[in-house]
Amino acid sequence: MKKQDLIEEIKNVMQREKNLTLEMELKDIEEWDSLTVVGIAALYDKFMGIKIEINDINKCKTISDIVKLAGDKVY
Amino acid sequence: MIKFTENDLFLVTGASSGIGKSIVLKINKLGGKVIGVARNRERLDSIKNLLTHPANYYTEVKNLTEDMGNLDKWVMEISIKYGKLKGLVLSAGNQQILPMNALDLEQAKEIFDINYFCNIMLAKGFCDRRINIGEGSSIIFISSVASITGNAGIINYSASKGAINSAVRSMAIEVAKQKIRVNSILPGLVKTELFEKWKEFYTKEYIEQMNKKYPLGIGSPEYISDMCCFLISENAKWITGQCFVVDGGISLTVG
């Protein structure tokens, strides 16, 4: 999956109108909440077949950290 | 007094007949804008003559069971085309009279598709922050009194409506922080076009019998649209996660 497409999907999970950038800090994103975290886990499973732990998402600080969880599945 | 404005946009499924049609007409009469959704263009257009404000009525022909998994995205397309939605009224559904000895898995699933899964996917689409107006927005599921009473031949139908009642409660909690309210209405027997479709079942004798059995007689679609318009209005702003029985008292009777 392309990095930009993944960011777009993450934006959809957040139901966010404004664009996301890799540098953005999750704590500054209004739509970021526990249901978004679960939604991201489901997104990685659905689109890339990756099972990620909720804890791993909770450790992320930025959008870039979340994208990194996809490893070499994003390019 | 319930009033809507031209800024109040509602999406109503099952709009071309019965309860859905009555809801479209009432929202329109009260001043709101309505997008009616149904499978049949002619039937959707035939409502136009009955509208109080024809300019505030839009139509979308759609077979909801086709590409069900993408109904949420379809709601987004609707919102891009017409604007942010204040309400979603889920009135599309089908009845099935099928005794257990004739129960067929595929047919059973079809009823769940139209009565439950389609509605859940549409609700998912509506709840997207980018699609609804936030505070003041709400969803109405049209369930059935059959979901809380018992009758032969409707095991699967009543279960599909019961699924709605359960979903409404959890959905109400999940979307409360977005200030979206979610409720369902459980109508009793109201005289609609389904009477014609199932006339082997809804015989004249049966209808007469039901009329006697219902404490307030069998109903009319307007009794349901009255309740619906209340629930989607500001007057109901503290009401969520509830299932309202509107049934002429039939659920109170025994035997």
Side-chain angles (χ1 to χ4, degrees), chain A residues 11-17 30-31 33 35 46, chain B residues 73 76 84 124 127-131 174 177-178:
Chain A
K11 186 179 138 189
N12 281 334
V13 169
M14 291 180 185
Q15 304 172 1
R16 187 179 157 89
E17 267 160 319
E30 186 191 344
E31 295 87 357
D33 64 10
L35 288 179
K46 184 178 168 190
Chain B
K73 295 185 186 75
M76 181 168 267
K84 285 199 173 190
K124 180 192 169 190
C127 290
D128 190 309
R129 286 187 190 92
R130 296 165 290 187
I131 287 176
E174 190 165 323
K177 68 173 178 189
Q178 288 171 252

PDB file of all heavy atoms in Angstrom, chain A residues 11-17 30-31 33 35 46, chain B residues 73 76 84 124 127-131 174 177-178:
ATOM      1  N   LYS A  11      -7.133   8.853   7.878  1.00  0.00           N
ATOM      2  CA  LYS A  11      -7.985  10.043   7.947  1.00  0.00           C
ATOM      3  C   LYS A  11      -9.470   9.633   7.918  1.00  0.00           C
ATOM      4  O   LYS A  11     -10.293  10.181   8.652  1.00  0.00           O
ATOM      5  CB  LYS A  11      -7.650  10.932   6.740  1.00  0.00           C
ATOM      6  CG  LYS A  11      -8.341  12.260   6.729  1.00  0.00           C
ATOM      7  CD  LYS A  11      -7.906  13.063   5.502  1.00  0.00           C
ATOM      8  CE  LYS A  11      -9.096  13.766   4.887  1.00  0.00           C
ATOM      9  NZ  LYS A  11      -8.800  14.374   3.599  1.00  0.00           N
ATOM     10  N   ASN A  12      -9.781   8.636   7.100  1.00  0.00           N
ATOM     11  CA  ASN A  12     -11.165   8.146   7.028  1.00  0.00           C
ATOM     12  C   ASN A  12     -11.604   7.511   8.346  1.00  0.00           C
ATOM     13  O   ASN A  12     -12.737   7.692   8.781  1.00  0.00           O
ATOM     14  CB  ASN A  12     -11.332   7.136   5.886  1.00  0.00           C
ATOM     15  CG  ASN A  12     -11.455   7.820   4.554  1.00  0.00           C
ATOM     16  OD1 ASN A  12     -11.878   8.975   4.467  1.00  0.00           O
ATOM     17  ND2 ASN A  12     -11.053   7.130   3.503  1.00  0.00           N
ATOM     18  N   VAL A  13     -10.695   6.736   8.956  1.00  0.00           N
ATOM     19  CA  VAL A  13     -11.026   6.123  10.246  1.00  0.00           C
ATOM     20  C   VAL A  13     -11.342   7.217  11.271  1.00  0.00           C
ATOM     21  O   VAL A  13     -12.253   7.090  12.081  1.00  0.00           O
ATOM     22  CB  VAL A  13      -9.869   5.227  10.746  1.00  0.00           C
ATOM     23  CG1 VAL A  13     -10.085   4.796  12.191  1.00  0.00           C
ATOM     24  CG2 VAL A  13      -9.726   3.991   9.866  1.00  0.00           C
ATOM     25  N   MET A  14     -10.580   8.299  11.187  1.00  0.00           N
ATOM     26  CA  MET A  14     -10.804   9.416  12.121  1.00  0.00           C
ATOM     27  C   MET A  14     -12.009  10.254  11.732  1.00  0.00           C
ATOM     28  O   MET A  14     -12.421  11.121  12.496  1.00  0.00           O
ATOM     29  CB  MET A  14      -9.584  10.347  12.121  1.00  0.00           C
ATOM     30  CG  MET A  14      -8.361   9.758  12.740  1.00  0.00           C
ATOM     31  SD  MET A  14      -7.067  11.005  12.621  1.00  0.00           S
ATOM     32  CE  MET A  14      -5.700  10.082  13.258  1.00  0.00           C
ATOM     33  N   GLN A  15     -12.530  10.022  10.528  1.00  0.00           N
ATOM     34  CA  GLN A  15     -13.623  10.846   9.981  1.00  0.00           C
ATOM     35  C   GLN A  15     -13.228  12.317  10.022  1.00  0.00           C
ATOM     36  O   GLN A  15     -13.977  13.180  10.461  1.00  0.00           O
ATOM     37  CB  GLN A  15     -14.909  10.619  10.770  1.00  0.00           C
ATOM     38  CG  GLN A  15     -15.325   9.173  10.812  1.00  0.00           C
ATOM     39  CD  GLN A  15     -16.493   8.944  11.748  1.00  0.00           C
ATOM     40  OE1 GLN A  15     -17.007   9.864  12.358  1.00  0.00           O
ATOM     41  NE2 GLN A  15     -16.923   7.708  11.855  1.00  0.00           N
ATOM     42  N   ARG A  16     -12.025  12.564   9.561  1.00  0.00           N
ATOM     43  CA  ARG A  16     -11.450  13.900   9.661  1.00  0.00           C
ATOM     44  C   ARG A  16     -11.581  14.637   8.341  1.00  0.00           C
ATOM     45  O   ARG A  16     -11.358  14.071   7.272  1.00  0.00           O
ATOM     46  CB  ARG A  16      -9.974  13.750  10.033  1.00  0.00           C
ATOM     47  CG  ARG A  16      -9.276  15.038  10.340  1.00  0.00           C
ATOM     48  CD  ARG A  16      -7.828  14.751  10.709  1.00  0.00           C
ATOM     49  NE  ARG A  16      -7.018  15.922  10.495  1.00  0.00           N
ATOM     50  CZ  ARG A  16      -6.812  16.866  11.395  1.00  0.00           C
ATOM     51  NH1 ARG A  16      -7.366  16.750  12.583  1.00  0.00           N
ATOM     52  NH2 ARG A  16      -6.065  17.918  11.125  1.00  0.00           N
ATOM     53  N   GLU A  17     -11.977  15.916   8.436  1.00  0.00           N
ATOM     54  CA  GLU A  17     -12.118  16.713   7.225  1.00  0.00           C
ATOM     55  C   GLU A  17     -10.780  17.260   6.742  1.00  0.00           C
ATOM     56  O   GLU A  17     -10.473  17.241   5.569  1.00  0.00           O
ATOM     57  CB  GLU A  17     -13.132  17.842   7.447  1.00  0.00           C
ATOM     58  CG  GLU A  17     -14.521  17.393   7.014  1.00  0.00           C
ATOM     59  CD  GLU A  17     -15.658  18.199   7.612  1.00  0.00           C
ATOM     60  OE1 GLU A  17     -15.611  18.552   8.802  1.00  0.00           O
ATOM     61  OE2 GLU A  17     -16.604  18.444   6.866  1.00  0.00           O
ATOM     62  N   GLU A  30      -7.803  16.341  17.188  1.00  0.00           N
ATOM     63  CA  GLU A  30      -9.087  16.370  17.881  1.00  0.00           C
ATOM     64  C   GLU A  30      -9.825  15.020  17.785  1.00  0.00           C
ATOM     65  O   GLU A  30     -10.442  14.565  18.739  1.00  0.00           O
ATOM     66  CB  GLU A  30      -9.930  17.473  17.219  1.00  0.00           C
ATOM     67  CG  GLU A  30     -11.241  17.768  17.870  1.00  0.00           C
ATOM     68  CD  GLU A  30     -12.097  18.678  16.970  1.00  0.00           C
ATOM     69  OE1 GLU A  30     -11.539  19.299  16.025  1.00  0.00           O
ATOM     70  OE2 GLU A  30     -13.284  18.748  17.210  1.00  0.00           O
ATOM     71  N   GLU A  31      -9.744  14.377  16.627  1.00  0.00           N
ATOM     72  CA  GLU A  31     -10.519  13.149  16.404  1.00  0.00           C
ATOM     73  C   GLU A  31      -9.865  11.905  17.012  1.00  0.00           C
ATOM     74  O   GLU A  31     -10.441  10.825  16.980  1.00  0.00           O
ATOM     75  CB  GLU A  31     -10.708  12.911  14.895  1.00  0.00           C
ATOM     76  CG  GLU A  31     -11.542  13.959  14.180  1.00  0.00           C
ATOM     77  CD  GLU A  31     -10.720  15.147  13.700  1.00  0.00           C
ATOM     78  OE1 GLU A  31      -9.500  15.193  13.976  1.00  0.00           O
ATOM     79  OE2 GLU A  31     -11.302  16.046  13.059  1.00  0.00           O
ATOM     80  N   ASP A  33      -9.074   9.177  19.409  1.00  0.00           N
ATOM     81  CA  ASP A  33      -9.629   8.631  20.658  1.00  0.00           C
ATOM     82  C   ASP A  33      -9.520   7.106  20.643  1.00  0.00           C
ATOM     83  O   ASP A  33      -8.973   6.532  19.705  1.00  0.00           O
ATOM     84  CB  ASP A  33     -11.068   9.106  20.876  1.00  0.00           C
ATOM     85  CG  ASP A  33     -12.026   8.590  19.807  1.00  0.00           C
ATOM     86  OD1 ASP A  33     -11.635   7.721  19.007  1.00  0.00           O
ATOM     87  OD2 ASP A  33     -13.167   9.064  19.767  1.00  0.00           O
ATOM     88  N   LEU A  35     -11.652   4.736  20.206  1.00  0.00           N
ATOM     89  CA  LEU A  35     -12.321   4.028  19.103  1.00  0.00           C
ATOM     90  C   LEU A  35     -11.525   4.173  17.799  1.00  0.00           C
ATOM     91  O   LEU A  35     -11.527   3.269  16.970  1.00  0.00           O
ATOM     92  CB  LEU A  35     -13.750   4.543  18.916  1.00  0.00           C
ATOM     93  CG  LEU A  35     -14.746   4.144  20.007  1.00  0.00           C
ATOM     94  CD1 LEU A  35     -16.114   4.735  19.727  1.00  0.00           C
ATOM     95  CD2 LEU A  35     -14.868   2.630  20.159  1.00  0.00           C
ATOM     96  N   LYS A  46      -7.396  -5.319   7.658  1.00  0.00           N
ATOM     97  CA  LYS A  46      -8.199  -5.402   6.438  1.00  0.00           C
ATOM     98  C   LYS A  46      -7.375  -5.133   5.176  1.00  0.00           C
ATOM     99  O   LYS A  46      -7.456  -5.867   4.209  1.00  0.00           O
ATOM    100  CB  LYS A  46      -9.357  -4.402   6.532  1.00  0.00           C
ATOM    101  CG  LYS A  46     -10.320  -4.450   5.370  1.00  0.00           C
ATOM    102  CD  LYS A  46     -11.461  -3.457   5.564  1.00  0.00           C
ATOM    103  CE  LYS A  46     -12.260  -3.283   4.284  1.00  0.00           C
ATOM    104  NZ  LYS A  46     -13.214  -2.169   4.376  1.00  0.00           N
TER     105      LYS A  46
ATOM    106  N   LYS B  73     -20.109   4.492   2.076  1.00  0.00           N
ATOM    107  CA  LYS B  73     -19.484   5.414   1.106  1.00  0.00           C
ATOM    108  C   LYS B  73     -20.558   6.094   0.258  1.00  0.00           C
ATOM    109  O   LYS B  73     -20.423   7.257  -0.118  1.00  0.00           O
ATOM    110  CB  LYS B  73     -18.497   4.656   0.225  1.00  0.00           C
ATOM    111  CG  LYS B  73     -17.322   4.112   1.002  1.00  0.00           C
ATOM    112  CD  LYS B  73     -16.295   3.468   0.093  1.00  0.00           C
ATOM    113  CE  LYS B  73     -15.206   2.798   0.893  1.00  0.00           C
ATOM    114  NZ  LYS B  73     -15.650   1.517   1.501  1.00  0.00           N
ATOM    115  N   MET B  76     -21.838   9.042   1.942  1.00  0.00           N
ATOM    116  CA  MET B  76     -20.907  10.175   1.799  1.00  0.00           C
ATOM    117  C   MET B  76     -21.111  10.872   0.455  1.00  0.00           C
ATOM    118  O   MET B  76     -21.135  12.103   0.375  1.00  0.00           O
ATOM    119  CB  MET B  76     -19.462   9.709   1.944  1.00  0.00           C
ATOM    120  CG  MET B  76     -18.498  10.866   1.829  1.00  0.00           C
ATOM    121  SD  MET B  76     -16.834  10.485   2.315  1.00  0.00           S
ATOM    122  CE  MET B  76     -16.791  10.947   4.005  1.00  0.00           C
ATOM    123  N   LYS B  84     -24.650  18.525   4.244  1.00  0.00           N
ATOM    124  CA  LYS B  84     -24.615  17.732   5.482  1.00  0.00           C
ATOM    125  C   LYS B  84     -26.029  17.376   5.937  1.00  0.00           C
ATOM    126  O   LYS B  84     -26.949  18.189   5.848  1.00  0.00           O
ATOM    127  CB  LYS B  84     -23.875  18.493   6.570  1.00  0.00           C
ATOM    128  CG  LYS B  84     -22.359  18.503   6.356  1.00  0.00           C
ATOM    129  CD  LYS B  84     -21.619  18.843   7.633  1.00  0.00           C
ATOM    130  CE  LYS B  84     -20.112  18.680   7.409  1.00  0.00           C
ATOM    131  NZ  LYS B  84     -19.362  18.752   8.651  1.00  0.00           N
ATOM    132  N   LYS B 124     -23.689   3.722   9.644  1.00  0.00           N
ATOM    133  CA  LYS B 124     -22.237   3.931   9.741  1.00  0.00           C
ATOM    134  C   LYS B 124     -21.834   5.137   8.894  1.00  0.00           C
ATOM    135  O   LYS B 124     -21.093   6.002   9.356  1.00  0.00           O
ATOM    136  CB  LYS B 124     -21.491   2.677   9.253  1.00  0.00           C
ATOM    137  CG  LYS B 124     -19.995   2.837   9.330  1.00  0.00           C
ATOM    138  CD  LYS B 124     -19.223   1.744   8.604  1.00  0.00           C
ATOM    139  CE  LYS B 124     -17.756   2.168   8.511  1.00  0.00           C
ATOM    140  NZ  LYS B 124     -16.968   1.300   7.642  1.00  0.00           N
ATOM    141  N   CYS B 127     -22.972   8.469  10.478  1.00  0.00           N
ATOM    142  CA  CYS B 127     -22.284   8.883  11.714  1.00  0.00           C
ATOM    143  C   CYS B 127     -20.895   9.466  11.468  1.00  0.00           C
ATOM    144  O   CYS B 127     -20.279  10.003  12.382  1.00  0.00           O
ATOM    145  CB  CYS B 127     -22.196   7.711  12.690  1.00  0.00           C
ATOM    146  SG  CYS B 127     -23.814   7.301  13.365  1.00  0.00           S
ATOM    147  N   ASP B 128     -20.398   9.348  10.250  1.00  0.00           N
ATOM    148  CA  ASP B 128     -19.122   9.974   9.911  1.00  0.00           C
ATOM    149  C   ASP B 128     -19.242  11.478  10.151  1.00  0.00           C
ATOM    150  O   ASP B 128     -20.179  12.114   9.675  1.00  0.00           O
ATOM    151  CB  ASP B 128     -18.808   9.689   8.430  1.00  0.00           C
ATOM    152  CG  ASP B 128     -17.388  10.093   8.055  1.00  0.00           C
ATOM    153  OD1 ASP B 128     -17.000  11.237   8.337  1.00  0.00           O
ATOM    154  OD2 ASP B 128     -16.685   9.249   7.475  1.00  0.00           O
ATOM    155  N   ARG B 129     -18.297  12.018  10.899  1.00  0.00           N
ATOM    156  CA  ARG B 129     -18.341  13.445  11.252  1.00  0.00           C
ATOM    157  C   ARG B 129     -18.489  14.372  10.052  1.00  0.00           C
ATOM    158  O   ARG B 129     -19.002  15.469  10.151  1.00  0.00           O
ATOM    159  CB  ARG B 129     -17.045  13.849  11.967  1.00  0.00           C
ATOM    160  CG  ARG B 129     -16.935  13.364  13.370  1.00  0.00           C
ATOM    161  CD  ARG B 129     -15.701  13.965  14.023  1.00  0.00           C
ATOM    162  NE  ARG B 129     -15.453  13.321  15.302  1.00  0.00           N
ATOM    163  CZ  ARG B 129     -14.673  12.269  15.459  1.00  0.00           C
ATOM    164  NH1 ARG B 129     -14.041  11.743  14.440  1.00  0.00           N
ATOM    165  NH2 ARG B 129     -14.510  11.725  16.653  1.00  0.00           N
ATOM    166  N   ARG B 130     -17.987  13.894   8.895  1.00  0.00           N
ATOM    167  CA  ARG B 130     -17.989  14.761   7.716  1.00  0.00           C
ATOM    168  C   ARG B 130     -19.345  14.783   7.016  1.00  0.00           C
ATOM    169  O   ARG B 130     -19.551  15.512   6.063  1.00  0.00           O
ATOM    170  CB  ARG B 130     -16.916  14.268   6.737  1.00  0.00           C
ATOM    171  CG  ARG B 130     -15.529  14.384   7.316  1.00  0.00           C
ATOM    172  CD  ARG B 130     -14.514  13.592   6.532  1.00  0.00           C
ATOM    173  NE  ARG B 130     -14.695  12.150   6.690  1.00  0.00           N
ATOM    174  CZ  ARG B 130     -13.850  11.238   6.207  1.00  0.00           C
ATOM    175  NH1 ARG B 130     -12.806  11.607   5.531  1.00  0.00           N
ATOM    176  NH2 ARG B 130     -14.080   9.947   6.393  1.00  0.00           N
ATOM    177  N   ILE B 131     -20.273  13.937   7.494  1.00  0.00           N
ATOM    178  CA  ILE B 131     -21.529  13.746   6.771  1.00  0.00           C
ATOM    179  C   ILE B 131     -22.729  14.362   7.484  1.00  0.00           C
ATOM    180  O   ILE B 131     -23.653  14.869   6.858  1.00  0.00           O
ATOM    181  CB  ILE B 131     -21.734  12.232   6.534  1.00  0.00           C
ATOM    182  CG1 ILE B 131     -20.743  11.787   5.459  1.00  0.00           C
ATOM    183  CG2 ILE B 131     -23.171  11.903   6.153  1.00  0.00           C
ATOM    184  CD1 ILE B 131     -20.738  10.330   5.182  1.00  0.00           C
ATOM    185  N   GLU B 174     -22.283   4.850  21.503  1.00  0.00           N
ATOM    186  CA  GLU B 174     -21.052   5.085  20.730  1.00  0.00           C
ATOM    187  C   GLU B 174     -21.035   6.459  20.057  1.00  0.00           C
ATOM    188  O   GLU B 174     -19.977   7.074  19.931  1.00  0.00           O
ATOM    189  CB  GLU B 174     -20.860   3.964  19.696  1.00  0.00           C
ATOM    190  CG  GLU B 174     -19.501   4.010  19.049  1.00  0.00           C
ATOM    191  CD  GLU B 174     -19.136   2.733  18.313  1.00  0.00           C
ATOM    192  OE1 GLU B 174     -19.478   1.629  18.780  1.00  0.00           O
ATOM    193  OE2 GLU B 174     -18.510   2.848  17.244  1.00  0.00           O
ATOM    194  N   LYS B 177     -21.149  11.081  21.918  1.00  0.00           N
ATOM    195  CA  LYS B 177     -20.177  12.188  22.051  1.00  0.00           C
ATOM    196  C   LYS B 177     -20.152  13.069  20.803  1.00  0.00           C
ATOM    197  O   LYS B 177     -19.691  14.205  20.860  1.00  0.00           O
ATOM    198  CB  LYS B 177     -18.792  11.656  22.390  1.00  0.00           C
ATOM    199  CG  LYS B 177     -18.162  10.885  21.315  1.00  0.00           C
ATOM    200  CD  LYS B 177     -16.737  10.549  21.660  1.00  0.00           C
ATOM    201  CE  LYS B 177     -16.209   9.720  20.518  1.00  0.00           C
ATOM    202  NZ  LYS B 177     -14.987   9.121  20.673  1.00  0.00           N
ATOM    203  N   GLN B 178     -20.665  12.529  19.693  1.00  0.00           N
ATOM    204  CA  GLN B 178     -20.810  13.359  18.487  1.00  0.00           C
ATOM    205  C   GLN B 178     -22.149  14.085  18.500  1.00  0.00           C
ATOM    206  O   GLN B 178     -22.497  14.762  17.533  1.00  0.00           O
ATOM    207  CB  GLN B 178     -20.748  12.493  17.232  1.00  0.00           C
ATOM    208  CG  GLN B 178     -19.389  11.948  16.909  1.00  0.00           C
ATOM    209  CD  GLN B 178     -19.470  10.937  15.780  1.00  0.00           C
ATOM    210  OE1 GLN B 178     -19.323   9.732  15.978  1.00  0.00           O
ATOM    211  NE2 GLN B 178     -19.737  11.412  14.571  1.00  0.00           N
TER     212      GLN B 178
END
